[in-house]
Amino acid sequence: MTSETRLSTPTTTAPTDNLIEPIEPTTTVATQLDELAEEAGSLRSTTRYMAESTSELHQKVLFQSWQHRTSERGKLAPKVLLEEIADLGFAWRDVARMLGVSVPAVQKWRRAGGVTGENRRRLASLLALCDEITDRYHIQEVASWFEMPLTASAPVTPIDLYADGQPRLVLEHASGHSDEEAILTAYDPDWREHYRSDFEVYLEADGAMSIRSKKA
């Protein structure tokens, strides 16, 4: 009997049955950091915009409130306005300076009147600002507060701000929403150079304040 040689046919399988699915490329650390940096930068920009917009709105509302109080105060006679300003404790030299007139002019108003409409509004505006600061921010003895320097680093006072046409900065200072150095920079960008001193204030061992040279 003749033996037959049988050739076996190799079994074929589907080409994709045993293949491992390709792994998607993972995000690198650098890419993740870039994305986080973009998101953080966007958040900072949004926050800064919102802060600036809120600050502008707050200042606008404060200004409108002050103007409303000015209109109400303007209904009073100039002599009454002057009496109330005097009762707050302001020196006439400071009142004259903030109003942009001379001390003799203020004294004349007290004796004989003759206040122009513009000066009457200036009186009403100053008194209204004091009302705003006292009522809204509970600042006591407002006249002495006006005389107090914003910071020990410079002799600038709210009187200086008001006299130089910056009542908004006076309100901003009273509100406490801006630090003193930011207000000084808005008032005088070169204030550090203008008020630079070779002396400094320090606390003695006994608790007393003294002045010494910075070179000591």
Side-chain angles (χ1 to χ4, degrees), residues 58 62 132-140 171 174-177:
H58 183 229
L62 286 179
E132 185 77 18
I133 291 172
T134 301
D135 295 346
R136 190 177 299 279
Y137 302 115
H138 311 291
I139 292 176
Q140 300 177 1
L171 283 171
S175 72
H177 289 291

Side-chain angles (χ1 to χ4, degrees), residues 97-108:
R97 184 183 170 205
M98 287 189 285
L99 297 180
V101 298
S102 65
V103 173
V106 175
Q107 294 172 339
K108 178 184 176 182

Side-chain angles (χ1 to χ4, degrees), residues 31-107:
T31 302
Q32 292 176 344
L33 290 175
D34 287 342
E35 292 175 353
L36 286 174
E38 288 292 331
E39 292 178 6
S42 178
L43 285 173
R44 286 189 66 182
S45 298
T46 301
T47 302
R48 182 170 59 251
Y49 173 77
M50 292 180 64
E52 291 173 353
S53 298
T54 304
S55 177
E56 290 176 3
L57 176 61
H58 183 229
Q59 291 176 1
K60 182 178 180 180
V61 171
L62 286 179
F63 182 80
Q64 291 176 340
S65 177
W66 171 43
Q67 293 304 295
H68 175 71
R69 289 177 185 264
T70 296
S71 297
E72 291 300 308
R73 280 299 198 175
K75 297 176 182 179
L76 299 176
K79 284 188 177 182
V80 176
L81 294 172
L82 283 167
E83 288 173 2
E84 292 206 26
I85 290 174
D87 289 341
L88 291 175
F90 283 102
W92 290 122
R93 66 177 182 278
D94 293 331
V95 173
R97 184 183 170 205
M98 287 189 285
L99 297 180
V101 298
S102 65
V103 173
V106 175
Q107 294 172 339

Side-chain angles (χ1 to χ4, degrees), residues 1 12 14 25 35 44-45 57 65 86 120 126 149 156 161 170-171 178 180 182 187 189-190 193:
M1 180 177 177
T12 60
E35 292 175 353
R44 286 189 66 182
S45 298
L57 176 61
S65 177
R120 178 171 177 163
L126 176 56
V156 178
L161 300 180
V170 177
L171 283 171
S178 293
E180 291 77 8
Y187 171 66
D190 299 321
E193 182 64 24

